Amino acid sequence: MTTINDIAKRANVSRTTVSRALNNSGYVSEEARKRIMKIVEETGYMPNQSAKSLRTKRSGVIGVILPRLSTETSTRVVNGINEVLAKEGFQILLTDTELDKKKEIEYIRLLKSRHVDGIILLATNVNDELIQTIRDVDLPFLAIGQDLPEVTSLVYDDYHASADLTNMLIHKGHHKIAFIGVSRDDPSVGIMREQAFRDVMEREGGVIKDHWMGTGDFSIDSGYEEMKKILRASGKNRPRAVYAVTDRMAIGAMEYLKEQGYRIPEDMAVVGIGASSLSQYVSPSLTTIDYFNKKAGQQAAELLLAKLKNEKVEEKFELTYRLILRDSV
Amino acid sequence: MTTINDIAKRANVSRTTVSRALNNSGYVSEEARKRIMKIVEETGYMPNQSAKSLRTKRSGVIGVILPRLSTETSTRVVNGINEVLAKEGFQILLTDTELDKKKEIEYIRLLKSRHVDGIILLATNVNDELIQTIRDVDLPFLAIGQDLPEVTSLVYDDYHASADLTNMLIHKGHHKIAFIGVSRDDPSVGIMREQAFRDVMEREGGVIKDHWMGTGDFSIDSGYEEMKKILRASGKNRPRAVYAVTDRMAIGAMEYLKEQGYRIPEDMAVVGIGASSLSQYVSPSLTTIDYFNKKAGQQAAELLLAKLKNEKVEEKFELTYRLILRDSV
DNA sequence: CTGAAAGCGCTTACAG
DNA sequence: CTGAAAGCGCTTACAG
């Protein structure tokens, strides 16, 4: 492997000068610069980033922590992050917690030791140890999806999105709405979306029944199972709509309903959140909410870059959303 | 940031000993080890990976080069890679070429300069400069999806998969089959799948017409457009089935067909390749081929790990596939 | 405009 | 069992 010393020798200058030429720092005579660049070209020399990083304390790498690598939401966000970061010459070091909270903390530390310049976390929960760890590593940090105290956070407007969706259902004439949520460990999805649902239902005179409330785990299967449970527990008095807090669960619910011969939306309306590509092509197409995940990723990357440049950045950002009315309602 | 020197000082030993304790290399008295580990715990010390990597020439990072971050295929493969690698303590440095061939080469070099221990490339084409670059960087290397000469390659069995699919169509009574392929720059998808189609059609007495052959770009839209073109060019003599080389294009084709009032599969059968989740939930569900992408990623990671351990590894691996018969045929 | 020297935080022969 | 020293490949005051 060619090093800066090899280049220096061949160009008859010190490695100091090579470094300056390469980084456009300080004065280098045009002559020397040309000689150096020519040799760099010829040899295909690339500076050793570990050495550089050891010296400068910057690595050109941003750590990204995902709850799951294989969901469309994650992919879109990472896509947005990467688009912005790649343009600035940054690379992404990717980690996947597989929804294990311990790993979130572990990876934050690990990324620090790998000298990443900053971290973006797609957050799924909020807890003290997490906050503490983020404070400890003292790196430019950005959270997406949850409001982490004292951490720059980009949050989806879960409350209003959920409220809008519920309202829409009610104004379409549905007062009996089943709800498939997720664990309350996830404040954004598990608490905010449910709270908005309850608030609107109460305000608008909707009917909430305990056995119409299910709790899934984000998977299509869990949507299917919860729908089954809800219908079985309902007897004659059935809901006329079901609101699942994610598209995948909504699609699972639809599967069960179709199997049981329900017509959607005539017998039962279905809505989800996420605007997955699945939601568009499933039949009937699913009414859902688009959170513009890619844009969230882009914005997160831009904010992180601003932080790297020591620009002042606000602590909280609320993202926009859009209701997509389709055939399932 | 705590360094090995801080730990050494506090433990009253040299940093040599700390290093030995941390890496379980050489002798360290039980006493010293305990003292060191306690302090490591307390301080949450993590070795600086840049320094380590500079010294040892290993980084614990594997570079992954994707053609597109936002496709299900890529995601599944990366998922498989990550599952295996994370277990062994490796991280993934992710790069996305956005289907730009130049970037493939650029990123290989870049990853080398970042001291990755190995590279996995989801290959989309084969060209001399690429092969040359791979040879130049001289790193443990693995290609998935294309057969790269002299590079360890994991390839899908595109020929037989495509042949099986075509055969199945013919045995269902379809002799007039339209085909939506992609550019021949991509040998696996653009050449092999088409070749098998042509071979089987010829052998089995199928009807191939030039204006029934379209070329898309992997996108849903292109499937839609190619289907439109094909039907418009066909006049009265229409195909009775369409084989798109990817699920997304097949789904685009389905969209157009449905819009035009075709019944699927009665008026027109549709098949794709990829076993995307879309293919399962679209209506009617799409007959397709499952390439077990996640498993491919796992196997790639395992082979790379074997190479890192200097184990001998064969040069070519053919992956298996599975035909999934569903309602679109 | 240029270079010698120090130092980033590790590991690893080598010597004891 | 332990430590001093060298060195990985860079950058950056400092001096000229």
Side-chain angles (χ1 to χ4, degrees), chain B residues 4 44 52 129 157 168-169 184 192 197 245 265 274:
Chain B
I4 196 171
K52 199 165 178 163
E129 205 186 337
D157 192 354
M168 179 277 296
L169 240 23
R184 304 177 73 81
M192 295 298 261
F197 170 72
V245 296

Side-chain angles (χ1 to χ4, degrees), chain A residues 62 64 74-92 94 120 293-302 305, chain B residues 67-70 94-99 103 107:
Chain A
I62 300 295
V64 174
S74 290
T75 312
R76 286 177 180 171
V77 174
V78 175
N79 202 218
I81 294 174
N82 188 57
E83 219 175 88
V84 172
L85 254 32
K87 219 173 291 169
E88 299 285 323
F90 284 88
Q91 250 56 53
I92 287 182
L94 204 68
I120 296 176
N293 303 105
K294 184 173 173 180
K295 211 163 163 192
Q298 291 172 329
Q299 195 178 344
E302 276 157 11
L305 287 174
Chain B
R68 274 227 163 282
L69 223 147
S70 46
L94 204 67
T95 61
D96 175 357
T97 67
E98 292 160 341
L99 291 169
K103 284 197 180 165
Y107 283 143

Side-chain angles (χ1 to χ4, degrees), chain B residues 4 15 19 23 45 55:
Chain B
I4 196 171
R15 60 173 186 263
S19 174
N23 298 301
Y45 165 72
R55 184 56 227 248

Side-chain angles (χ1 to χ4, degrees), chain B residues 50-200:
Chain B
S50 302
K52 199 165 178 163
S53 156
L54 177 59
R55 184 56 227 248
T56 60
K57 309 288 180 202
R58 333 184 80 248
S59 61
V61 175
I62 301 294
V64 174
I65 305 176
L66 302 176
R68 274 227 163 282
L69 223 147
S70 46
T71 69
E72 221 176 322
T73 309
S74 291
T75 312
R76 286 178 181 169
V77 174
V78 176
N79 202 221
I81 294 173
N82 188 57
E83 219 176 270
V84 172
L85 253 34
K87 219 173 289 168
E88 299 285 323
F90 283 87
Q91 249 57 49
I92 287 180
L93 194 57
L94 204 67
T95 61
D96 175 357
T97 67
E98 292 160 341
L99 291 169
D100 179 347
K101 292 183 213 170
K102 289 259 161 68
K103 284 197 180 165
E104 283 182 356
I105 290 164
E106 194 186 315
Y107 283 143
I108 292 173
R109 294 233 173 82
L110 183 78
L111 289 169
K112 166 88 174 184
S113 82
R114 287 203 183 281
H115 262 186
V116 298
D117 294 337
I119 295 179
I120 297 176
L121 168 70
L122 302 221
T124 61
N125 70 90
V126 180
N127 67 76
D128 290 346
E129 205 186 337
L130 177 61
I131 312 280
Q132 190 53 50
T133 308
I134 295 174
R135 191 168 6 222
D136 285 351
V137 297
D138 190 31
L139 274 174
F141 201 101
L142 228 135
I144 303 181
Q146 306 283 348
D147 185 352
L148 297 186
E150 290 173 56
V151 175
T152 310
S153 306
L154 236 67
V155 290
Y156 302 111
D157 192 354
D158 285 290
Y159 188 89
H160 290 107
S162 177
D164 282 5
L165 202 53
T166 311
N167 245 318
M168 179 277 296
L169 240 23
I170 286 180
H171 284 101
K172 290 267 179 184
H174 299 290
H175 289 259
K176 297 160 72 176
I177 310 177
F179 181 90
I180 301 178
V182 299
S183 153
R184 304 177 73 81
D185 285 352
D186 182 329
S188 296
V189 184
I191 298 179
M192 295 298 261
R193 295 189 192 172
E194 178 172 337
Q195 193 55 53
F197 170 72
R198 288 184 182 273
D199 290 352
V200 171

Side-chain angles (χ1 to χ4, degrees), chain A residues 58-73:
Chain A
R58 333 184 80 247
S59 61
V61 175
I62 300 295
V64 174
I65 305 176
L66 303 176
R68 274 225 163 284
L69 222 146
S70 47
T71 69
E72 221 177 323
T73 307

